[in-house]
Amino acid sequence: MNITLTIVAQALTFAILIWFTAKFVWPPLLAAIEARQKLIADGLADAERAKHDLEMAAKRSADLLREAKEKAGEIVASGEKRASEIIEQAKSQAKVEGERIIAGARAEVDQEVFRAKEQLRNQVSAIALAGAGKILGREIDAKAHNDLLDKLAAEL
Amino acid sequence: MSTEEHALTASSYIEHHLSFNVKQVADGAFWSVNFDTLIVSVLLGIVSFGLLWLVVRSATAGVPNKRQAFVELLVGFIDDQVKGIFHGDRKPFVAPLALTVFVWVLVMNAMDFLPIDIMAWVYHHVFGQEKFRAVPTSDINTTFALALSVWFLMIFFSIKVKGFGGWIHEFFCAPFGSNPLVWPANFLFNLIEYVSKPLSHSLRLFGNMYAGEIIFLLLGMWAATGLAGTIFGALLGAGWAIFHILIVVLQAFIFMMLTIVYIAMAHESH
């Protein structure tokens, strides 16, 4: 249990080991650890930023969607308005057309009635003439009684 | 089990295992070296710090491999300890010092796990050394060398931080005050502190490791008394070795913590 020169030698060894650790072991490892810490911190910051970006994008897409919906609603409303306008227009056109057709038909009917009356008048005068001939027992001279017949026809 | 079967007594067994491999350098009691202590501690230093260096040399900031992760755990652990105690720029010196102390003391303590009698046979028949003690920290020269180195560093940093005048001033004016009446008390107090620090620092480690070795020797002696002794000696030896894992790490840790505390105290002004 003597204190000998060993103590000096051990102190020297210790000093060399301290120097070696401080110069070659500690700095590179700590540099690597610090670099990794920075890497991780940067990664976390990036993730945070990406999250923020995502939130912004979601907000913007929601805005766009709402805008699009509004626009679509507007378009539908204007379409409906246009459609009712067209229907109204068609209705009024159809009314006009109908009235025109009805007027035409009425005129035609009047004409037909007039023509039928004319025909009927002629036939009635012929019947009256034939009836009168039979009653009188002889031929009636149509020429001699023409003015009378005309008068009768005008009365019918 | 011992190499000297014919002259085996309890005292000769223990004496044999506790004798250093002394190489006389010059005349005088001081001028000799414990060859075993030196060679083991230097080899352990080269191997452990060489391995650390190899791992660290290829250290990347990316995904670390298992070896690098292990070294990072060690370094991170020590860096945390230093950070908690020492409030200065620890990177250039104090943290590497703590790492050196911890690793070196740990591996030197760990030599205690080697089975003494088998190793004695190896030393004798493979290396031709009659006497060889493998645990450098159970040599008081080692622990005193470490403690005194830390002591000198403590004084160096004390003077570096406070200046020589500040250091002397602190010697006389702390901890009781700057009244000239308490100067002697302050001086005495500081003197005792300066003496007790390296003593307790080194003797704590030395005592623990030395006692551990003695226990192993006693169990080895018991193992030589017969079959029952062998069984109990082996069982208790295993138990003590397992318990010793704790002591080895704990003592290395305590030695490192005290080193940091002393260096940190040297940086603080009163």
Side-chain angles (χ1 to χ4, degrees), chain A residues 75-89:
Chain A
I75 288 168
V76 167
S78 76
E80 272 168 1
K81 200 175 152 200
R82 179 92 186 98
S84 66
E85 268 173 22
I86 287 169
I87 287 168
E88 283 305 311
Q89 211 175 340

Side-chain angles (χ1 to χ4, degrees), chain A residues 1-15 17-37 39, chain B residues 29-34 37-38 41 49 53 56 60-62 64 68 71-72 75 79 91 93 95-97 99-101 104 141-142 144-146 149 206:
Chain A
M1 220 44 59
N2 299 321
I3 298 288
T4 64
L5 195 57
T6 314
I7 195 172
V8 179
Q10 289 290 74
L12 206 65
T13 311
F14 185 43
L17 287 180
I18 295 171
W19 169 80
F20 183 82
T21 311
K23 191 144 177 70
F24 296 109
V25 175
W26 194 267
L29 191 72
L30 214 69
I33 292 174
E34 275 167 1
R36 186 179 316 133
Q37 276 174 342
L39 213 69
Chain B
F30 179 75
W31 296 105
S32 66
V33 291
N34 297 338
T37 300
L38 277 186
S41 60
F49 288 93
W53 178 66
V56 159
T60 64
Q68 193 191 330
V71 175
E72 276 179 16
V75 167
D79 200 39
K91 269 181 213 165
F93 188 79
L97 168 72
L99 178 67
T100 313
V101 168
W104 202 33
N141 285 294
T142 303
F144 261 120
L146 285 165
S149 299
F206 165 75

